[in-house]
Amino acid sequence: MGQCVICQSRSDEISQALGLCAACILAGTAAARDRAADAHARSRQRFDLPTTPTRGPDGERCKRCINACKIDAGQVGYCGARRNEAGRLIGGDADSAAVQWYDDPLPTNCVADWVCPASGPAGYPDYTDTRRAEHGYVNLAVFYEACTFDCLFCQNWHFKRHSRTGPRRSASELAAAVTPRTRCICFFGGDPSCQVEHALAAARLAREAREGHLLRICWETNGSMSRSALTEMAELSLESGGCIKCDLKAWNDTLHRALCGVSNRATLKNFEHLSGWIARRPDPPFLVASTLLVPGYVDVEQVRQIAGFIARLDPSIPYALLGFHPNFEMTDLPTTSRRQATECLAAAEAAGLTRVRIGNVHLLA
């Protein structure tokens, strides 16, 4: 059972990694902000990653994501994958990225599987050749081993071991992994935002090699990339029948900073921008949202606010509520309860969304 260092309340829904309850985080005091910053610093030091977005006095500005690091010669950015060598920023480009990939048989368990051409009739006949699941084909799952956020509850945190050092692969190597059995490519991680140049190059090479054949381009992201990169991503997904899946981790910015290390304002603005593309291709859904239901922190009120925001943009945007499994720095929290999940589902529907579902049901307590 955890205890909040500010109000002294005790609960199994207070993580000792933070030592803060949600109420004290939301109060926004300097003490709470400092405590959260210390938690992120301790976590990142384990992996030799900068504790805050890099602000070198003589650094080169990286424009890949919202962190806008200024990276001095010989130093790395917040993500760990971008670095300054002799005054030139490298890493995450077409030549070299911290990335791994594997073939995932279709239909697969992804955030958008319930509205995806790989799983059913969505997009038929333009983006799939069957009204059934695409059995016998694969999704090329591309995992980028760096991230623009620092989520204390990260479900895939092991990538941090390779953010600064580890295997590096070119975009051409990745594109060569596409075969006639590949129906879609999903870029995720970590997050593709900080290495988006590599992802875009690989996607284009793969599409060119498979011209005239089905090959959907999808993204699962925290939405923190630059607007120019986002536009290129959207264009590839729109014309190929793929989608962009945005993880909206919390509504309140103070809570988001405490849990994820950085602000969510750019993510919400990018999501709003993407919503303007929906009318250009209503089927299959172009934009999908998801939220991980972290017990004690991402509660019904956070979901209600997120769902209201989405509904105001377009109530038909699919929204997945995902069950949380204790992981990374928050192994002391319980799994998401069925009660929390069903209450959040009801709140999202009451906010006006017409396509909401609970994912990771097998994890619910």
Side-chain angles (χ1 to χ4, degrees), residues 286-336:
F286 163 73
L287 181 61
V288 178
S290 65
T291 297
L292 186 68
L293 304 178
V294 183
Y297 296 99
V298 183
D299 59 9
V300 172
E301 182 55 30
Q302 292 300 307
V303 169
R304 180 180 293 111
Q305 295 284 355
I306 292 170
F309 163 72
I310 298 171
R312 288 190 294 274
L313 299 174
D314 188 326
S316 72
I317 294 174
Y319 185 35
L321 303 170
L322 305 178
F324 164 87
H325 182 269
N327 215 329
F328 194 36
E329 302 290 354
M330 292 186 157
T331 56
D332 54 345
L333 291 180
T335 57
T336 305

Side-chain angles (χ1 to χ4, degrees), residues 46 50 68 74 83 108 131 172 186-187 194 199 248 258 269 295 304 315 325 356:
R46 291 169 52 192
R83 64 189 186 276
T108 187
R131 292 184 181 273
S172 58
C186 182
F187 299 100
C194 45
L248 306 181
K269 289 179 180 177
R304 180 180 293 111
H325 182 269
V356 188

Side-chain angles (χ1 to χ4, degrees), residues 68-349:
C69 290
K70 287 188 66 180
I71 309 173
D72 281 338
Q75 301 300 310
V76 299
Y78 187 70
C79 66
R82 297 280 285 160
R83 64 189 186 276
N84 184 330
E85 286 195 0
R88 177 171 170 261
L89 294 183
I90 61 173
D93 50 31
D95 295 328
S96 175
V99 61
Q100 296 188 36
W101 56 83
Y102 57 93
D103 282 339
D104 191 9
L106 293 174
T108 187
N109 176 31
C110 82
V111 171
D113 63 349
W114 52 308
V115 291
C116 172
S119 301
Y124 179 84
D126 294 324
Y127 303 108
T128 181
D129 56 7
T130 176
R131 292 184 181 273
R132 299 181 177 86
E134 292 180 336
H135 293 291
Y137 294 95
V138 299
N139 162 52
L140 183 61
V142 182
F143 191 102
Y144 282 100
E145 298 185 301
C147 193
T148 53
F149 284 6
D150 185 55
C151 299
L152 297 177
F153 51 77
C154 184
Q155 305 289 281
N156 295 309
W157 64 272
H158 300 85
F159 75 84
K160 293 174 183 282
R161 295 168 177 163
H162 292 158
S163 295
R164 289 199 63 164
T165 60
R168 294 297 191 265
R169 309 292 290 274
S170 70
S172 58
E173 288 179 272
L174 171 53
V178 172
T179 74
R181 293 180 59 238
T182 308
R183 279 291 176 89
C184 48
I185 305 176
C186 182
F187 299 100
F188 68 117
D191 202 89
S193 296
C194 45
Q195 302 188 90
V196 68
E197 186 178 323
H198 182 276
L200 289 168
R204 293 192 182 101
L205 287 171
R207 290 278 294 165
E208 289 171 5
R210 295 293 295 161
E211 186 175 2
H213 297 82
L214 293 170
L215 184 62
R216 301 178 296 269
I217 304 298
C218 297
W219 312 82
E220 190 168 319
T221 176
N222 60 33
S224 63
M225 69 290 296
S226 68
R227 182 60 59 84
S228 59
L230 182 69
T231 299
E232 293 184 61
M233 292 163 56
E235 289 171 345
L236 277 165
S237 292
L238 192 71
E239 60 94 13
S240 68
C243 68
I244 299 180
K245 299 162 276 188
C246 281
D247 193 6
L248 306 181
K249 299 176 186 291
W251 174 256
N252 180 274
D253 190 53
T254 300
L255 179 64
H256 194 279
R257 288 176 184 270
L259 294 176
C260 306
V262 298
S263 173
N264 68 347
R265 295 299 99 181
T267 293
L268 296 178
K269 289 179 180 177
N270 276 341
F271 190 88
E272 183 174 3
H273 175 73
L274 288 173
S275 71
W277 294 56
I278 293 173
R280 295 168 59 178
R281 198 206 68 202
D283 180 55
F286 163 73
L287 181 61
V288 178
S290 65
T291 297
L292 186 68
L293 304 178
V294 183
Y297 296 99
V298 183
D299 59 9
V300 172
E301 182 55 30
Q302 292 300 307
V303 169
R304 180 180 293 111
Q305 295 284 355
I306 292 170
F309 163 72
I310 298 171
R312 288 190 294 274
L313 299 174
D314 188 326
S316 72
I317 294 174
Y319 185 35
L321 303 170
L322 305 178
F324 164 87
H325 182 269
N327 215 329
F328 194 36
E329 302 290 354
M330 292 186 157
T331 56
D332 54 345
L333 291 180
T335 57
T336 305
S337 68
R338 291 185 181 274
R339 178 178 179 180
Q340 180 185 0
T342 54
E343 287 178 350
C344 287
L345 175 67
E349 292 176 337

